[in-house]
Amino acid sequence: MKMLQATRSRINLDRVATVNQIIPFSCVDGPGSRLVIFLQGCNFNCKNCHNPHTIDWCDSCGDCVPTCPAKALKLITDDNKSQVVWDQQLCTQCDICLSVCPKQSTPKTLRYSVDELLTLIRAQMHFINGVTISGGEASLQLPFIIALFREMQLSKDLAHLSCMIDSNGSLSLNGWQQVLPFIQGAMIDLKSWQQDTHRYITGRDNHRVFSALKLLAEQGKLYEVRLLHIPEVSDFDSEIDAVASYLAQLPVAVRIKLNAFQHHGVTGDALMWPSCTEAQIQQLANALARRGVNNLILPNLYL
Ligand code: SF4
Ligand code: SF4
């Protein structure tokens, strides 16, 4: 039995994820101060995405390699298989590689095992309240998330840290059931109310998002719902009665965070959309509050 447990633990520790970025300290990705791990890959294709190069996985086509002025990229071929390797030390973050990539991807990802991330978390543990896994879409690498959070909770020195997921809500109910025992909460994006609008903005419908919100609320694990207000594009203002009535019936502790659309990082159609002003966010917040929505969180910045 002990041997079985040790083997299982080793499998968990060796599990790896493709990571786009790690922020050692954030105050906007869940309660308190948090280490945030952004995983590569997303199953939505949001026109408003501020980090579109986190959407696809790199297929090592090699197109970006000769364009790197710092020689931080190499194409390594082994057994007829090519792989792009990024040298973080040489990289100057000029982002030329992102601009030439024919996919919505990046060569600037790293593979981390659970074991390696536990070491990083231990180095920060005196300065943080918890760990948030975000993306891309975090839940696309669900077995990794479960393995990491499980190991944290089994480790005496890390068990006090809260474990949160920041998600677009597309994970199946079965997936949420698997991860629920290992998280204290989730932040979920509700990108629009009507199916057609949601499909236009993200390329996917929002049935699963509503199912996820319901399940997480019932289980007391819905920390925050995030609404991105895109004037003339998203439909929270035109559907205000339905949106407010839905939000008002959520548990009172759930934070309703309003985000204001801005152009930073976006490409394509979204560059033509108007950005959202402080007055427009305040108008939406007032309309929701008048209809009984509490616990509204407004943006600090409009950049
Ligand atoms: S961001 Fe880094 S890897 Fe990409 S082209 Fe610039 S130096 Fe090279
Ligand atoms: S990042 Fe893009 S351009 Fe570079 S190897 Fe990967 S898919 Fe090709």
Side-chain angles (χ1 to χ4, degrees):
M1 185 65 182
K2 266 195 180 151
M3 200 138 112
L4 188 64
Q5 274 171 353
T7 310
R8 200 174 284 151
S9 178
R10 196 59 252 170
I11 290 170
N12 270 331
L13 292 171
D14 289 344
R15 208 176 270 281
V16 290
T18 305
V19 174
N20 181 283
Q21 197 185 0
I22 297 174
I23 296 182
F25 185 86
S26 163
C27 296
V28 293
D29 294 285
S33 52
R34 315 191 64 77
L35 181 141
V36 189
I37 301 161
F38 294 88
L39 300 184
Q40 181 71 19
C42 186
N43 52 355
F44 281 8
N45 195 4
C46 298
K47 292 181 194 293
N48 58 280
C49 185
H50 293 295
N51 297 301
H53 54 277
T54 62
I55 293 175
D56 274 347
W57 273 274
C58 169
D59 64 4
S60 288
C61 71
D63 286 5
C64 58
V65 173
T67 70
C68 173
K71 308 230 174 308
L73 299 174
K74 278 199 187 85
L75 193 63
I76 296 185
T77 306
D78 197 10
D79 280 343
N80 285 333
K81 234 178 114 190
S82 297
Q83 198 191 344
V84 166
V85 178
W86 172 55
D87 187 330
Q88 195 173 5
Q89 306 306 322
L90 292 178
C91 178
T92 58
Q93 301 297 345
C94 69
D95 284 351
I96 289 173
C97 50
L98 306 186
S99 67
V100 300
C101 178
K103 304 180 80 192
Q104 290 173 302
S105 191
T106 170
K108 298 190 288 175
T109 58
L110 293 172
R111 303 271 288 164
Y112 281 93
S113 67
V114 166
D115 217 2
E116 289 165 332
L117 280 179
L118 290 174
T119 304
L120 280 184
I121 294 165
R122 284 199 170 91
Q124 285 300 112
M125 67 183 181
H126 298 300
F127 312 106
I128 55 175
N129 301 103
V131 173
T132 296
I133 303 194
S134 183
E137 170 48 28
S139 67
L140 295 188
Q141 300 188 60
L142 192 68
F144 179 87
I145 295 176
I146 292 173
L148 177 65
F149 285 167
R150 183 176 180 277
E151 290 303 322
M152 282 175 64
Q153 285 164 19
L154 289 175
S155 307
K156 273 195 188 136
D157 57 342
L158 300 179
H160 65 287
L161 297 175
S162 63
C163 298
M164 312 281 291
I165 293 184
D166 180 348
S167 166
N168 64 19
S170 65
L171 181 63
S172 67
L173 286 184
N174 182 36
W176 282 113
Q177 298 282 12
Q178 289 176 50
V179 76
L180 273 175
F182 304 101
I183 61 172
Q184 276 68 52
M187 286 76 77
I188 303 290
D189 293 334
L190 178 58
K191 294 184 192 267
S192 56
W193 182 256
Q194 291 287 352
Q195 289 297 339
D196 286 350
T197 319
H198 196 272
R199 234 177 264 124
Y200 170 68
I201 293 173
T202 71
R204 300 278 294 262
D205 68 36
N206 60 12
H207 289 121
R208 281 193 172 187
V209 182
F210 283 112
S211 302
L213 288 169
K214 181 169 182 291
L215 176 70
L216 288 161
E218 283 167 359
Q219 299 295 315
K221 296 207 171 171
L222 182 59
Y223 174 75
E224 187 172 275
V225 184
R226 294 175 171 172
L227 277 56
L228 177 67
H229 187 30
I230 315 173
E232 299 168 34
V233 178
S234 61
D235 55 8
F236 299 122
D237 44 2
S238 57
E239 301 286 343
I240 190 73
D241 288 328
V243 174
S245 143
Y246 177 79
L247 296 175
Q249 54 80 41
L250 291 172
V252 67
V254 175
R255 291 158 47 107
I256 311 297
K257 188 168 184 184
L258 305 184
N259 287 326
F261 170 72
Q262 305 297 325
H263 290 121
H264 172 71
V266 302
T267 55
D269 289 7
L271 285 170
M272 309 302 290
W273 297 347
S275 55
C276 180
T277 64
E278 187 170 0
Q280 286 167 319
I281 278 286
Q282 196 58 60
Q283 202 177 356
L284 179 62
N286 292 344
L288 290 169
R290 272 198 307 276
R291 289 164 176 81
V293 180
N294 297 306
N295 215 357
L296 286 158
I297 315 293
L298 272 54
N300 293 323
L301 290 173
Y302 294 83
L303 294 172

